[in-house]
Amino acid sequence: MNGKQLCIHGHFYQPPREDPWMDTIFPEGSAAPATHWNDRICAESYAPLAWARRLDGSGRIIELMNCFEFMSFNFGPTLLTWMERQAPEVYARVLEGDQKSLKRLGHGNAIAQIYHHVIMPLATDLDKQAEIAWALADFEARFKRPAEGMWLSEAAVDTRTLDLLAQAGVRFTILAPRQARQVADVDQDNWAPADEGTLDIREPYLVELPGGRSIAVYFYDGPLSQAVAFEGLLRHGDTFWGRLSGKAGQGLLALATDGETYGHHFKFGEMALAFALSQARAGAEGVSLTNYAAYLAENAPRRRARIHENSSWSCVHGLERWRADCGCATEHRPGWNQRWRGPLRDGLNAVKTRIDRHFMDLGATLFTDPAQALIGYGRVLCGLDTGRAFETAQFRKKLSPEQKDTAWKLLTMQKWALSSFASCAWFFDDLGRIEPLNALTFALRAMQLGMRTGMSDLEPLLLSHIGQASSNDPLLGSGHDLWNHEVRPRRETVETILAQALIRLWAGGQLPGPGGSATTDWPGLSVTVRVTGAVGTNGTGHRTGQASITWTRESGSDDSQWAWELPDGGDPLAGCIRVGESGTKCIPASYIPWGKRQALAVCWVRRVEEEVWRRQVAETRLGAHLFLPYREAQTTQTAAECWDRLWSALAWQWIMGEVAASRDFLEFLLERGRGHPERTLLTRRVGQALVELLGGQQSQPNFHAVRQILERAESVGVAPDLHESQNIYWTRFKADPTAWEAGAALGFAPL
Ligand SMILES: [Zn+2]
């Protein structure tokens, strides 16, 4: 049986960007005006794929396709952790895509991914086991079913990794065609050499493993996958579909692509994908959609394969891209080298070896089996197990509260130590990039937790390796320089965390008066501040109090006293925060790293801008009534420059139907709105108002108001951001005849 079957796989992943103390992502300047790259790529790729626009000939929307329902995919656990918190609607679509495909095909589209995206053949055996176990637990917690397949980071593979996958119950993985070394029929010993040119990729292969185990391997279509990534195949949906349907034949046509290709690397690439998927969904050219697990269920491997040990999909030299100067990634940088990769790998390995020894030695007094505790910890991270259940199962009996806290700190130490091996640190062209610096920051945090639990300082050991490395940019200097200027300043202590909590509360207008207390938290920790004394008004003066830091994944807390002298000039970052009983230790607030200062600035600007906007809206309502029609030969409003400054709030009054308007008022709004600096904010605000109208609790929103807002906005040349309101309309109201007028105004074709 079979016919022509198609499976397009998207590998969705972002390098870990979390601050390892706060466990949250701070602003990254290069992603501005978005806050950081996760935010930006989610808006450019993940969200568009979750609601991919399919248009008719006149540009009206005929469908918002959830591509995750029709493509095979894996998401990195660390990326989904972020998405669940920060983009819950997109996250819900990802889960829904898997559930619907499970219903349709009997097997879900989602597969798991190695937890920290480490290069598995380069990891220790225990780390391999932990990475697989954490990934499977995370998958099960999210998708409510066991994973059938696993994406190997960079498709980096060796037999031991495949064997551990098989032992963990994983049934298949996906590799590049050039990773196959030999093939034979299942029941014959007719082994023959294989390469990308000769390998038949239309069927899964069986890779035999020690102890009689085995795992299925799919090899993807190299040329087509390559064309999607690098040859602009996504520019036109019909060209893309033409290539797919032209190549589909008896058996499986499978592509493996970076998910971010759709929409991020290629704007509107998600529309080309949605078009191709819709063609296959309709059975055009006799092609039908499947996924790897569904295909495997119906097509047991008839052939066997042997793989190239230590090979990958993105380095033709094997695994050298993640440990040596192999030449990958400098194609566009003549004269650059990656001699830094070796020292970075060696340094992090040296630290991890010492950390592992510390974990096993001290852990032996705290856990019934430290290795099993590490492997099982992933179930706590994803919420499958509660902390209490984990303690019962893994901790030795009768530990003191201090010992329990130490045990939890050891696990947090390992979590960040594993994070430092995310493959991205070595992937690109320079040591001075954000990814290697983040890897070193994770190691810094792990080393700090090591010291906190009694280990010696490993910084000299790490520096003895990375000190031998250099950035290609002479201005950035050596590994030593980068460590001193970029990494070590990120180190957080009780004092610096407290300083940030105080400034954050202040920036958000939440710092209480004497006798009051307030809590501010990040995913990784929470700070409760009590104010005991205050002199002066908010903005200047002196505050004193106590504070307590509690860590989300540890059981202890860090308590201290503090005093904050707010400077006269009102610059909160110019002040000095004294922490501890003697109060002699001064933390200049300006020492807080850039990303964290930027987060404080963002917190402040969002709050103040919102306050100013509300006041403006309240006050300009009168102005909109007072905007009189022109007299005689008058061509613009008297005192036009003042009216102009209030443009966005005046336009809001009209668009939201708060005032009736004269022709002159509308013309003024239209003319002054062209290129007005507040335009972007206004389009977002009107879009948000539509979302609130459509997305509220009521089953029957005011569709008439939706249409009216859109018409009024158009009359003054304002094009609201409709992405989210269109999504809501499609999800909730597309079948409701009373909503059709609003649907047409939102850009939908009649059903
Ligand atoms: Zn290479």
Side-chain angles (χ1 to χ4, degrees), residues 329-340:
T330 27
E331 297 86 355
H332 308 292
R333 296 277 199 175
W336 280 32
N337 68 70
Q338 295 90 36
R339 288 196 285 271
W340 54 273

Side-chain angles (χ1 to χ4, degrees), residues 213-493:
R213 288 178 292 273
S214 64
I215 190 168
V217 170
Y218 284 99
F219 297 98
Y220 61 79
D221 187 293
L224 264 182
S225 305
Q226 191 80 359
V228 170
F230 303 110
E231 294 158 27
L233 198 52
L234 297 176
R235 237 168 253 137
H236 301 288
D238 44 0
T239 320
F240 185 35
W241 171 244
R243 285 286 293 278
L244 291 171
S245 56
K247 194 144 187 201
Q250 192 65 25
L252 180 69
L253 175 63
L255 276 65
T257 56
D258 268 327
E260 293 75 17
T261 312
Y262 310 101
H264 173 57
H265 297 307
F266 281 103
K267 200 170 163 63
F268 303 126
E270 83 284 358
M271 293 175 74
L273 176 67
F275 177 78
L277 292 173
S278 72
Q279 292 291 99
R281 182 181 58 183
E285 319 281 343
V287 176
S288 60
L289 286 170
T290 187
N291 63 37
Y292 290 115
Y295 191 89
L296 189 61
E298 303 221 327
N299 301 274
R302 289 174 302 179
R303 311 207 72 202
R304 292 181 288 168
R306 288 174 177 154
I307 53 158
H308 284 291
E309 293 290 333
N310 299 323
S311 59
S312 69
W313 79 333
S314 50
C315 171
V316 292
H317 317 96
L319 304 176
E320 302 312 301
R321 188 168 191 155
W322 299 279
R323 63 180 172 192
D325 183 13
C326 72
C328 283
T330 27
E331 297 86 355
H332 308 292
R333 296 277 199 175
W336 280 32
N337 68 70
Q338 295 90 36
R339 288 196 285 271
W340 54 273
R341 282 180 182 154
L344 181 63
R345 170 69 60 182
D346 293 344
L348 291 175
N349 272 343
V351 167
K352 185 69 164 70
T353 303
R354 294 285 297 274
I355 277 179
D356 284 348
R357 201 182 307 151
H358 176 61
F359 179 84
M360 295 309 259
D361 290 349
L362 184 55
T365 67
L366 304 167
F367 305 111
T368 48
D369 179 340
Q372 285 310 312
L374 181 62
I375 291 168
Y377 182 52
R379 297 180 61 84
V380 182
L381 291 175
C382 67
L384 276 185
D385 285 352
T386 64
R388 189 166 293 243
F390 184 83
E391 286 186 0
T392 308
Q394 306 280 5
F395 283 19
R396 286 184 173 276
K397 305 296 167 229
K398 296 190 182 132
L399 295 186
S400 69
E402 291 73 25
Q403 285 176 308
K404 285 185 182 177
D405 186 46
T406 301
W408 287 115
K409 278 184 164 48
L410 289 180
L411 292 163
T412 309
M413 170 187 77
Q414 284 286 23
K415 170 182 142 96
W416 292 115
L418 283 168
S419 264
S420 74
F421 289 94
S423 66
C424 341
W426 292 267
F427 187 83
F428 299 102
D429 57 14
D430 198 60
L431 179 63
R433 280 180 61 106
I434 197 166
E435 299 85 1
L437 297 180
N438 281 347
L440 290 169
T441 308
F442 300 142
L444 173 67
R445 168 73 165 134
M447 296 189 311
Q448 189 190 39
L449 282 159
M451 285 173 75
R452 185 82 194 259
T453 51
M455 194 173 60
S456 62
D457 187 2
L458 300 183
E459 189 176 314
L461 174 67
L462 179 58
L463 283 175
S464 72
H465 291 280
I466 63 162
Q468 298 169 30
S470 286
S471 165
N472 285 287
D473 181 349
L475 289 177
L476 296 179
S478 68
H480 241 118
D481 297 329
L482 285 164
W483 179 265
N484 288 333
H485 300 147
E486 299 291 336
V487 182
R488 199 197 274 126
R490 299 182 186 176
R491 179 196 188 100
E492 296 287 359
T493 60

